[in-house]
Amino acid sequence: MITKIDPTVNSEYKSGLACGLCCTKLHGFGVMLGKTEILRDLSLHIHCGELTALIGPNGAGKSTLLKAILGEVAHSGTMTFLDIAGAKARTPRIGYVPQRLDFDAGSPTSVLDLWAASTCRRPVWLGAEKKLRAYARSKLAAFNADHLIENKLGSLSGGELQRVLLTLALEPVPDLLLMDEPVSGIDPRGIELFYQMISDLRQQYDMSIILVSHDLGLVSRYSDRIIFLNRTFYVVGTPGEVFSNPTVIQTFGRISTEAGKIL
């Protein structure tokens, strides 16, 4: 299928003009898995301070795109980060929150152990220094997770674990935060709170966020922009623009961007 972009919502990406603010630019991204083409000639500007939701049917290539951005999957095209003056281009600093963390639920590994293993070179079995413990607790406190610091990973709920992983993804604060269905396994009330937290986060740190999600109602309420991806077909725009696209309607039905409900 030929890559298609709705020209009414994507003129800025095709123009090649600088956005005027710091942003991550993907240009000509493509991914081949074996002989199968997953992505073709994908070009985007991901602006700082904006939450971009990545939606699409199962098997559409959403997680593949995140892995390509992370460098875990070979791809064609380029990725650069422009600072607020638009003068310096470099590879963006990326934070990542996976859909799940694979670990032995019976392991004695604690939240503090995970933090220490992820942020310092000191062997975990030597124990965490007081300075590191205090620093980790202060960072976890920003997401109401400081009380979990001594808890074993296997004892955490889905929402608690995601808050811990989010804290780690922000150490140090990235230019671009990628989140692959981060609310998987979280109860409905927790999902709403998580979206509110992410919405506040992008404004607090003025960072770019790309969030893979199937929660279309919440996506329509909290996202600044949406990318609808179905392998080599994609549409980019505001929630109202994307959810009024005929192909998106055919895929998901009609979404009320005001009430955040499927009609």
Side-chain angles (χ1 to χ4, degrees), residues 2 11 14-15 19 27 30 40 49 55 62 65 93 108 118 137 139 187 199 202 204 206 208-209 238 256:
I2 297 174
S11 58
K14 299 177 74 174
S15 69
C19 62
H27 180 71
R40 183 197 304 156
I55 66 172
K62 302 184 295 296
L65 176 57
R93 184 169 57 247
S118 302
R137 190 184 296 276
K139 292 297 182 179
D187 62 83
S199 181
R202 81 195 196 286
Q204 179 182 355
D206 194 32
S208 306
I209 300 175
T238 64
S256 170

Side-chain angles (χ1 to χ4, degrees), residues 3-249:
T3 301
K4 180 179 179 182
I5 308 172
D6 188 335
T8 65
V9 300
N10 203 51
S11 58
E12 69 172 292
Y13 304 112
K14 299 177 74 174
S15 69
L17 297 175
C19 62
L21 299 172
C22 55
C23 66
T24 300
K25 290 186 175 184
L26 307 182
H27 180 71
F29 251 50
V31 173
M32 294 286 296
L33 295 181
K35 296 183 179 181
T36 303
E37 187 176 45
I38 304 300
L39 302 174
R40 183 197 304 156
D41 197 26
L42 187 85
S43 296
L44 301 166
H45 289 186
I46 310 299
H47 298 254
C48 291
E50 289 190 347
L51 173 57
T52 299
L54 182 57
I55 66 172
N58 292 330
K62 302 184 295 296
S63 294
T64 298
L65 176 57
L66 296 193
K67 290 177 181 178
I69 293 174
L70 287 167
E72 295 181 358
V73 172
H75 64 84
S76 58
T78 60
M79 176 175 63
T80 56
F81 176 77
L82 293 179
D83 64 19
I84 196 165
K88 292 181 65 176
R90 58 176 171 81
T91 301
R93 184 169 57 247
I94 301 174
Y96 177 57
V97 179
Q99 182 178 357
R100 64 180 63 87
L101 181 67
D102 293 326
F103 62 93
D104 182 356
S107 168
T109 304
S110 68
V111 170
L112 181 59
D113 292 334
L114 177 63
W115 181 279
S118 302
T119 61
C120 67
R121 297 180 180 180
R122 178 183 170 89
V124 174
W125 57 269
L126 289 177
E129 297 178 335
K130 289 183 178 180
K131 185 177 180 179
L132 175 65
R133 183 187 300 270
Y135 183 74
R137 190 184 296 276
S138 69
K139 292 297 182 179
L140 289 164
F143 298 99
N144 297 319
D146 51 313
H147 64 287
L148 303 173
I149 194 167
E150 301 292 350
N151 290 26
K152 302 297 186 287
L153 295 182
S155 70
L156 303 181
S157 68
E160 290 172 339
L161 180 58
Q162 288 306 91
R163 293 206 301 274
V164 170
L165 294 178
L166 179 57
T167 306
L168 283 170
L170 297 177
E171 184 59 33
V173 176
D175 302 309
L176 176 63
L177 177 63
L178 306 179
M179 310 184 76
D180 192 357
E181 298 187 44
V183 295
S184 179
I186 302 178
D187 62 83
R189 182 176 180 276
I191 292 175
E192 178 84 26
L193 292 174
F194 194 86
Y195 270 89
Q196 291 176 0
M197 182 170 59
I198 296 304
S199 181
D200 293 340
L201 188 66
R202 81 195 196 286
Q203 296 176 346
Q204 179 182 355
Y205 292 104
D206 194 32
M207 72 173 67
S208 306
I209 300 175
I210 301 180
L211 169 73
V212 174
S213 179
H214 291 288
D215 301 295
L216 302 184
L218 289 171
V219 158
S220 71
R221 290 166 50 193
Y222 286 101
S223 299
D224 298 295
R225 284 189 291 180
I226 294 176
I227 303 169
F228 171 81
L229 179 66
N230 192 357
R231 289 187 175 267
T232 58
F233 177 94
Y234 67 102
V235 180
V236 184
T238 64
E241 290 167 335
V242 170
F243 285 129
S244 63
N245 180 275
T247 301
V248 178
I249 293 174

